[in-house]
Amino acid sequence: MLIARWIVRCAVIATAAFVLTGCPSVTQEVRLPPSVDRAEALARQGDQAGAARVYEALAEQNSGADHNDYEFRATRAYLAARLPDEAARVLATVQQPLNAQQSSQYGMLDVQVALARGQAVQAWEKVSALAVPGTVSDAVEYFGLRGQVAMAAGRPADAVAAEISAEPWLANAGDLRQ
């Protein structure tokens, strides 16, 4: 009688274990469809690499300008995650042709990738070849990046020149003092 009870219990436990191993909620991570909201939530939580992977998935689902915009977001997220090789890999998948705004973004991201990889001299050469963007926010970003690259490349005079060149683009006295 005791042996029969033990066999029944073992059979019930084995059956339950077998059934549960087939349950996707127990054995696999549930994959949510990629979305901008999900990527932004991951970034806010500090998972920049996770956000970058979601942006890459979104890029795969789109083409043209949308594809490139998601690739740029993924590149920025990988840079924020301090994964410059991943950022370079993603940036290399940007589809041509680029409009003027995307060309400017691509150039600045290319400089940031080179800088993050410790290639300050190459970053300086790249940022020196870029034209000053036409929008205020892009120009301010450009001159800030140019100053950062100049300092990393051991060119403090060029860093100061970049800060001076940014002054006309600054919106208010607070930004100017900063």
Side-chain angles (χ1 to χ4, degrees):
M1 185 73 165
L2 194 55
I3 292 176
R5 208 180 270 170
W6 183 80
I7 290 173
V8 170
R9 285 183 185 167
C10 286
V12 169
I13 291 172
T15 303
F18 181 72
V19 169
L20 288 176
T21 59
C23 181
S25 65
V26 173
T27 59
Q28 300 173 354
E29 176 183 329
V30 176
R31 297 267 183 216
L32 298 174
S35 73
V36 174
D37 291 337
R38 185 165 163 247
E40 289 172 351
L42 287 168
R44 279 191 304 275
Q45 294 168 3
D47 185 3
Q48 297 293 335
R53 287 189 293 274
V54 173
Y55 286 131
E56 280 189 272
L58 287 166
E60 288 175 12
Q61 295 175 356
N62 289 278
S63 61
D66 290 337
H67 171 87
N68 289 340
D69 287 339
Y70 289 125
E71 294 291 32
F72 292 151
R73 288 180 182 205
T75 301
R76 285 188 196 94
Y78 277 129
L79 286 170
R82 295 193 173 118
L83 297 169
D85 292 335
E86 288 298 307
R89 177 187 58 77
V90 171
L91 193 59
T93 64
V94 169
Q95 298 173 346
Q96 300 294 330
L98 300 175
N99 61 36
Q101 174 71 21
Q102 289 177 329
S103 183
S104 176
Q105 287 180 41
Y106 181 90
M108 287 198 280
L109 285 170
D110 191 31
V111 170
Q112 291 172 12
V113 167
L115 188 60
R117 287 177 142 179
Q119 301 166 338
V121 174
Q122 292 89 339
W124 175 253
E125 291 169 0
K126 289 177 180 192
V127 79
S128 296
L130 294 178
V132 177
T135 65
V136 172
S137 61
D138 288 345
V140 170
E141 180 184 353
Y142 165 80
F143 285 117
L145 179 60
R146 186 174 174 89
Q148 182 182 5
V149 170
M151 288 302 289
R155 304 174 68 100
D158 289 319
V160 171
E163 291 295 323
I164 292 169
S165 297
E167 287 181 8
W169 296 91
L170 299 175
N172 58 49
D175 289 342
L176 189 59
R177 275 192 300 275
Q178 186 177 359

